[in-house]
Amino acid sequence: MHDPAETATLRRALVWDLPTRLFHWLLAGAIVGAYWTGEFGGFDKTWHMRFGYAVLALVVFRILWGLFGSRTARFASFLRGPGTVWAYLRTFGSRHAHPTDTHNPMGALSVIALLLAALAQAGSGLFASDDILTEGPLNGLFSGAVDSIANRTHAIAVWFLIALVVLHLAVIAYYRIYKRENLVTAMVTGRRDLPPGLGMERPASLWLAGLFVAISAGCVYFTVEILPPLLR
C-alpha cells in the first residue's frame, strides 16, 4: 500500500504503451490456446500448432520491442544487476509499495523467464513430433538427435512455462491483496499512480510496432512455410 504522505503527490501517468499491452494479453491467450488444444484437442493438432506459431511470433515481436520500443518496455530500462534484485527482494514482505514506471527488478526476471520458456516451448515444437499424426515443420530436416532433443524439450518446457505462469499470477494476487497495488489495471489501461517525474512522456510510434509485427510474422512464416521445402 502507498504511504499516506506519498499518496497526495501521486499522479496518473502512462506506463505501458498499446503494443506492450496487446502483446501481454495476446501472449496469454496464445499460451492458453496452445495448452488447451494440445491437451484436449484430440489427434488433430492443427490449432495447437497455429497457437504455437502465434506464441513464437509474439516472442520475436517482444524481443524487437524490448530493444527498440518505448522506454518503459525496453530491456535496458528494467533489467538490473544481482545487487538491485536482492535489495528489492529484501523489501518484498513490506506492505509499503514502491511504484515504478516499468517492471520492478523481480518483475523483470519474470518477464525474461517467461519469454525464454515460451521461446523454448514454441521453438522446440518446430522440430518435435508426436509419432502419430503431427510433426513440426522442421522435423526430420536435421539429425535425429535434434528431433529427439526437441521432443524432450517440448515435453518438459511446458511444465516450466505452467509453473512460471502460476507464479506470475500468485505474485499479482499478492501485490493486489497484501500491498494494495493493482498491477492488472495498469496492463489494461496503461496507466498507474506514480510520483512526479515518473511515467512515459512519449510512447514509440505505432508504425514501428506495425513494422515489428510484420517482421515477426514474416520470420515465422518463412520458418514454417518457405524454409522446409528449401531444406528437403
Side-chain angles (χ1 to χ4, degrees):
M1 72 180 54
H2 297 295
D3 186 283
E6 291 182 356
T7 302
T9 65
L10 297 179
R11 64 183 182 85
R12 207 71 167 166
L14 180 64
V15 176
W16 303 121
D17 56 34
L18 181 60
T20 301
R21 284 178 277 147
L22 285 176
F23 158 80
H24 179 276
W25 297 113
L26 288 173
L27 182 64
I31 288 175
V32 170
Y35 176 77
W36 184 265
T37 53
E39 292 294 319
F40 309 107
F43 289 114
D44 186 358
K45 302 299 183 184
T46 301
W47 277 101
H48 175 69
M49 295 175 70
R50 288 172 178 171
F51 279 118
Y53 300 153
V55 169
L56 196 58
L58 285 165
V59 171
V60 173
F61 168 81
R62 187 61 182 92
I63 292 172
L64 292 172
W65 201 243
L67 295 173
F68 307 106
S70 301
R71 178 187 62 81
T72 58
R74 293 183 184 180
F75 300 130
S77 72
F78 57 79
L79 289 179
R80 297 291 181 265
T84 302
V85 174
W86 176 245
Y88 183 84
L89 285 174
R90 292 175 62 184
T91 68
F92 188 63
S94 170
R95 296 182 68 92
H96 180 62
H98 299 278
T100 65
D101 61 1
T102 185
H103 296 291
N104 61 53
M106 191 171 70
L109 295 181
S110 175
V111 169
I112 299 303
L114 282 166
L115 287 177
L116 289 176
L119 182 61
Q121 184 65 15
S124 62
L126 297 174
F127 301 87
S129 169
D130 63 2
D131 294 323
I132 303 175
L133 294 175
T134 306
E135 61 182 28
L138 301 183
N139 180 264
L141 297 180
F142 300 95
S143 69
V146 171
D147 295 340
S148 178
I149 292 172
N151 282 332
R152 288 198 298 270
T153 301
H154 202 64
I156 295 173
V158 63
W159 296 109
F160 284 98
L161 186 56
I162 291 172
L164 287 171
V165 170
V166 171
L167 179 61
H168 182 66
L169 294 175
V171 171
I172 288 174
Y174 173 80
Y175 271 83
R176 183 69 183 94
I177 297 170
Y178 186 74
K179 289 180 175 286
R180 301 286 192 249
E181 191 170 359
N182 193 334
L183 301 179
V184 175
T185 299
M187 192 53 73
V188 173
T189 66
R191 297 180 180 275
R192 66 187 301 187
D193 293 329
L194 293 173
L198 293 181
M200 181 167 37
E201 295 182 1
R202 177 183 294 181
S205 169
L206 291 179
W207 289 105
L208 181 63
L211 174 62
F212 288 163
V213 168
I215 292 174
S216 303
C219 287
V220 174
Y221 181 82
F222 176 83
T223 302
V224 170
E225 298 291 341
I226 298 177
L227 185 60
L230 296 177
L231 296 177
R232 292 191 189 280

